Amino acid sequence: MRGNKLSQLGQQVFFVGPALLFFTLITIIPFLMGMYYSFTDWNGVSGNVSWVGFQNFKMIFTNDPDFWSSFWFTVRFTVLGVVLTNVVGFFLAYLLTKPLKTRNMLRTIFFMPNVIGGLLLGFIWQFIFIKGFATMGDMTGWSFFNLPWLGDATTGFWAIVMVFIWQSSGYLMVIYIASLSNVSKEVLEAAEIDGASRMQVLRNIIVPLIMPAVTIGLFLAISWSFKMFDLNLSLTKGGPFKSTESVAMNIYNEAFLNNRYGLGTAKALLFFVIVALITVIQVRVTKSKEVEA
């Protein structure tokens, strides 16, 4: 009996041990070190690390309007990004589960933007907004193409939202396709026999049955939106005048450009707590709405 337990322990150490070791070295230890540095005034370079307690957090709440401006920008971006990305991803999946001859090709086309790296994608769209839209505006005369897409706070915000949706909705489309494919055909046929319209079937049967996919889609979209950095950097760099600066960029600038690593990690820790609370609430709410077929 004791030999079996030792054998099971040895197997667990052999298979789980390396993954746990690397997870500890790459994730747990840096996170704990970040928590420590959030209570210091370290500049990220020197060996002099001074303990300042809650001074960094006090500064964030009382004397850092840029952080809260970037936080409000991120909240607005997240609300729109999460809703629109999931709506677009779901309806793409809904259409591409129909018997279309080109559905496999269309699935590939809509998923491809997710494969492109965020920085590269941002630079591509920067060229489109600056050069491509200007050319289209000259050809068509439409004022839509002549807007200062990356030079104004309002249009810059919508430009980032548009590119984010274009990049992310294809990934969520794949998740929704997998979930829609598992919806019982018998249930749908019974609803049609009972005279339910397509909208009634969609609202009262399909959506409740794919709530696990909705939970995952919302969770992923919230995570992507809150930590959005690469698109922000490549499209607007937070400008003009920090009007489109995300929290991730504000933290990066604070830690690595202003050389205030302690204050930057304090912002990162505060941001982590806020995002964790939001995601926990979201998962609990959507989980409670899940049903079984």
Side-chain angles (χ1 to χ4, degrees), residues 163-180:
V163 178
F164 177 78
I165 295 169
W166 187 78
Q167 180 190 25
S168 306
S169 58
Y171 189 92
L172 299 183
M173 174 196 72
V174 174
I175 295 175
Y176 286 125
I177 286 175
S179 185
L180 287 169

Side-chain angles (χ1 to χ4, degrees), residues 10 26 41 54 59 85 102 112 115 128 136 139-140 148 170 175 182 191 194 216 226 236 238 248 252 260 278 292:
I26 296 172
D41 68 346
F54 289 94
M59 182 179 295
T85 303
T102 59
M112 281 179 61
V115 180
I128 293 173
M136 292 295 295
M139 293 174 59
T140 63
I175 295 175
N182 291 324
D194 289 340
I216 296 172
F226 269 116
T236 64
Y252 173 84
R260 291 191 287 191
I278 292 173
E292 295 182 2

Side-chain angles (χ1 to χ4, degrees), residues 66-122:
D66 287 342
F67 175 78
W68 295 109
S69 175
S70 64
F71 183 79
W72 173 237
F73 168 84
T74 305
V75 169
R76 290 185 292 122
F77 171 79
T78 299
V79 171
L80 285 171
V82 169
V83 174
L84 295 178
T85 303
N86 277 275
V87 169
V88 172
F90 171 77
F91 278 105
L92 286 176
Y94 184 72
L95 291 174
L96 296 180
T97 50
K98 302 298 181 183
L100 301 174
K101 291 183 179 180
T102 59
R103 67 178 183 178
N104 290 333
M105 182 184 68
L106 290 173
R107 290 176 182 180
T108 303
I109 291 173
F110 289 128
F111 182 77
M112 281 179 61
N114 189 263
V115 180
I116 305 173
L119 280 175
L120 178 59
L121 190 70

Side-chain angles (χ1 to χ4, degrees), residues 68-256:
W68 295 109
S69 175
S70 64
F71 183 79
W72 173 237
F73 168 84
T74 305
V75 169
R76 290 185 292 122
F77 171 79
T78 299
V79 171
L80 285 171
V82 169
V83 174
L84 295 178
T85 303
N86 277 275
V87 169
V88 172
F90 171 77
F91 278 105
L92 286 176
Y94 184 72
L95 291 174
L96 296 180
T97 50
K98 302 298 181 183
L100 301 174
K101 291 183 179 180
T102 59
R103 67 178 183 178
N104 290 333
M105 182 184 68
L106 290 173
R107 290 176 182 180
T108 303
I109 291 173
F110 289 128
F111 182 77
M112 281 179 61
N114 189 263
V115 180
I116 305 173
L119 280 175
L120 178 59
L121 190 70
F123 287 126
I124 292 172
W125 272 93
Q126 184 185 71
F127 176 81
I128 293 173
F129 281 125
I130 295 175
K131 299 294 185 180
F133 275 26
T135 303
M136 292 295 295
D138 293 338
M139 293 174 59
T140 63
W142 293 355
S143 59
F144 173 84
F145 293 109
N146 292 320
L147 293 173
W149 280 102
L150 301 181
D152 180 75
T154 303
T155 53
F157 171 80
W158 284 106
I160 297 174
V161 171
M162 287 166 55
V163 178
F164 177 78
I165 295 169
W166 187 78
Q167 180 190 25
S168 306
S169 58
Y171 189 92
L172 299 183
M173 174 196 72
V174 174
I175 295 175
Y176 286 125
I177 286 175
S179 185
L180 287 169
S181 299
N182 291 324
V183 174
S184 173
K185 300 296 187 294
E186 290 78 8
V187 175
L188 298 179
E189 290 173 359
E192 291 180 3
I193 293 172
D194 289 340
S197 64
R198 287 189 177 182
M199 186 57 64
Q200 289 175 326
V201 171
L202 178 64
R203 185 177 64 250
N204 299 321
I205 297 177
I206 294 178
V207 171
L209 289 177
I210 65 166
M211 280 306 295
V214 174
T215 299
I216 296 172
L218 290 175
F219 178 83
L220 290 175
I222 289 173
S223 175
W224 295 337
S225 300
F226 269 116
K227 67 182 184 182
M228 185 268 302
F229 174 79
D230 44 11
L231 290 179
N232 196 194
L233 178 64
S234 55
L235 284 173
T236 64
K237 295 183 176 62
F241 306 108
K242 298 184 178 182
S243 59
T244 61
E245 183 181 72
S246 66
V247 172
M249 178 168 284
N250 180 272
I251 293 171
Y252 173 84
N253 291 338
E254 195 70 75
F256 299 105

